[in-house]
Amino acid sequence: MADKDLRERIKEVAVEHFNTNGYHGTTIRNIAKDVNCSLPMIYYYYKNKKELFDEIIKKEYFNLLEKQASLLKIDNVIDFYTKFIYDLNSLSNYDKQVYRLGIKVYLSFDGDEELMNLMDEWEKSILPRHREILKPHMKNVNNEKAVVRTLVHLLETMIENIVVKNRYLPEDEIREEISIVLQSCG
Amino acid sequence: MADKDLRERIKEVAVEHFNTNGYHGTTIRNIAKDVNCSLPMIYYYYKNKKELFDEIIKKEYFNLLEKQASLLKIDNVIDFYTKFIYDLNSLSNYDKQVYRLGIKVYLSFDGDEELMNLMDEWEKSILPRHREILKPHMKNVNNEKAVVRTLVHLLETMIENIVVKNRYLPEDEIREEISIVLQSCG
DNA sequence: TCCTTAATTTAACGTTCGTTAGAATTATAG
DNA sequence: CTATAATTCTAACGAACGTTAAATTAAGGA
């Protein structure tokens, strides 16, 4: 009966529900209804609700973050960061929702400490990573640290606008804002 | 028996619970237990769970936003915005939690459309407001619009760090970042 | 004092939740 | 064609939920 792999379809629908209604607001019954399968099928593929949720965050969300982080090809930093953010606009709907859900978990709406710690660790790696990227382009800059921090902060907001608030950010606006922060770099 | 006004105490505890567990993860029973009153007392003061939640967002959260927005005394814009953000650090715990909850609702974790629309309207008023504040200080700036947008984006992230992620942001870091964006202004 | 109103409680209602037992169906392979 | 394994279903479990009825207690003025 199943056109696509059922296990996958369950996960896709689950992402949608967790996103819209939160962990506690999401019910296995509603997921099953949208997937068009019976309720116990979800328990056939996932041990329980929590495991379904965890798989989305631990596998899907972190996969996404790592894929993004590996896109490092730099000549012009402003071009690079502009592309980095602009490409988020064209993420698949599913990826966008996974991203969105990850950010929401990070902001601890449903208070899962274990997942939050995972994310805290990830966040600690962000500043040094961008520092490395920017270092060669900031010879003549004295407040290097602050510039990197400001840039990362700005990136965060733009990511949030695109992914969480589901807005489209035009490339020239992205470029403008990044340029304002990086105007002292080449 | 009640040392403080019971109605108020219920609301305070509710903010905590909604923040930690989300709307659906929060139960009237748990609120009552923490308030140390019986369950129906909550229905004595609030029509139902939704009304309790709505009162927090509509009254407490928007009060907070408006109080913040009315703090406009400007001579040096960098000083002004630094103070604007820095003062968030010393919000009362209750105010911080209300703020946090508001942002989370805005990011639509529990999908209340009515509340989200209210917040969308508020957000539309933000850019013009800061444009007014900054206008007199940007005579010699050509990309005025972009600078205002960048600043507002940067402010958003800093607010989120202090209020949602509950971090302390030191004044000099705030000032550094704002200065980087506003370096073309006086 | 008694009466009225406000504050608070115990106990329960109907519903929905997460989860599972166990039977039925379908696919697979020998 | 048959036996075994992989899927899928119907039906139900106990627990927890939001909410309310109705009884009890506390407070205050006549």
Side-chain angles (χ1 to χ4, degrees), chain A residues 20-22 24-25 104 106-110 120 123 149-150 153 156-157 160 165 167 173 176-177, chain B residues 20-22 25 104 106-110 120 123 149-150 153 156-157 160 165 167 173 176-177:
Chain A
T20 315
N21 307 113
H24 292 101
K104 285 172 177 178
Y106 180 47
L107 298 182
S108 81
F109 210 101
D110 259 294
D120 258 336
E123 212 210 1
R149 207 175 351 102
T150 309
H153 278 167
E156 267 182 43
T157 327
E160 213 171 278
K165 299 186 193 162
R167 306 223 167 106
E173 285 191 14
E176 273 180 331
E177 300 197 17
Chain B
T20 314
N21 307 112
K104 285 172 176 177
Y106 180 48
L107 298 181
S108 81
F109 212 99
D110 260 293
D120 258 336
E123 210 209 1
R149 207 174 352 99
T150 310
H153 279 169
E156 267 181 43
T157 327
E160 215 172 276
K165 300 185 192 162
R167 305 221 169 108
E173 286 190 16
E176 273 179 331
E177 301 196 17

Side-chain angles (χ1 to χ4, degrees), chain B residues 170-182:
Chain B
E171 190 175 356
D172 55 323
E173 286 190 16
I174 299 170
R175 182 180 303 273
E176 273 179 331
E177 301 196 17
I178 290 173
S179 303
I180 287 171
V181 173
L182 293 185

Side-chain angles (χ1 to χ4, degrees), chain A residues 10 13 25 30 39 73 87-88 97 106 113 118 128 138 148 154 171 179:
Chain A
I10 289 172
V13 170
N30 284 341
L39 188 157
K73 275 194 307 170
D87 284 353
L88 290 176
Q97 292 208 26
Y106 180 47
E113 271 199 68
L118 271 182
M138 305 213 300
V148 176
L154 183 63
E171 190 176 355
S179 304

Side-chain angles (χ1 to χ4, degrees), chain B:
Chain B
M1 199 74 66
D3 10 338
K4 224 206 255 181
D5 187 29
L6 182 55
R7 191 174 195 282
E8 215 56 27
R9 269 185 31 244
I10 290 173
K11 189 156 54 176
E12 280 172 27
V13 169
V15 169
E16 252 180 77
H17 282 235
F18 284 133
N19 243 315
T20 314
N21 307 112
Y23 180 79
H24 291 103
T26 296
T27 74
I28 309 288
R29 279 170 178 81
N30 285 341
I31 295 176
K33 197 184 292 172
D34 274 14
V35 173
N36 230 333
C37 71
S38 73
L39 189 157
M41 279 312 294
I42 289 162
Y43 288 93
Y44 185 73
Y45 288 111
Y46 298 92
K47 209 177 93 202
N48 52 35
K49 186 180 177 182
K50 185 65 176 19
E51 194 186 82
L52 173 55
F53 187 73
D54 276 18
E55 177 164 325
I56 292 170
I57 298 300
K58 288 190 184 156
K59 281 178 57 177
E60 307 285 309
Y61 176 62
F62 278 103
N63 272 355
L64 204 55
L65 288 184
E66 268 152 30
K67 211 193 313 171
Q68 257 232 307
S70 67
L71 289 175
L72 315 176
K73 274 197 303 169
I74 319 128
D75 28 339
N76 178 310
V77 270
I78 290 178
D79 283 351
F80 165 67
Y81 279 111
T82 302
K83 184 174 162 45
F84 181 80
I85 296 295
Y86 182 67
D87 284 353
L88 290 176
N89 282 309
S90 44
L91 276 182
S92 77
N93 232 331
Y94 177 71
D95 278 353
K96 226 182 258 185
Q97 293 210 26
V98 169
Y99 210 144
R100 193 176 307 162
L101 187 56
I103 292 181
K104 285 172 176 177
V105 171
Y106 180 48
L107 298 181
S108 81
F109 212 99
D110 260 293
D112 184 310
E113 272 200 66
E114 186 214 346
L115 291 179
M116 280 194 58
N117 289 342
L118 271 182
M119 296 187 180
D120 258 336
E121 268 180 47
W122 174 269
E123 210 209 1
K124 276 184 204 136
S125 75
I126 293 180
L127 268 178
R129 188 147 19 96
H130 289 279
R131 191 94 152 281
E132 283 310 310
I133 295 175
L134 285 168
K135 205 183 242 167
H137 304 82
M138 307 214 297
K139 303 286 186 198
N140 48 350
V141 179
N142 51 357
N143 54 349
E144 180 196 320
K145 263 180 146 173
V147 170
V148 175
R149 207 174 352 99
T150 310
L151 178 73
V152 169
H153 279 169
L154 182 63
L155 296 180
E156 267 181 43
T157 327
M158 295 199 286
I159 291 173
E160 215 172 276
N161 267 285
I162 295 175
V163 168
V164 181
K165 300 185 192 162
N166 206 20
R167 305 221 169 108
Y168 174 81
L169 251 57
E171 190 175 356
D172 55 323
E173 286 190 16
I174 299 170
R175 182 180 303 273
E176 273 179 331
E177 301 196 17
I178 290 173
S179 303
I180 287 171
V181 173
L182 293 185
Q183 66 196 268
S184 36
C185 313

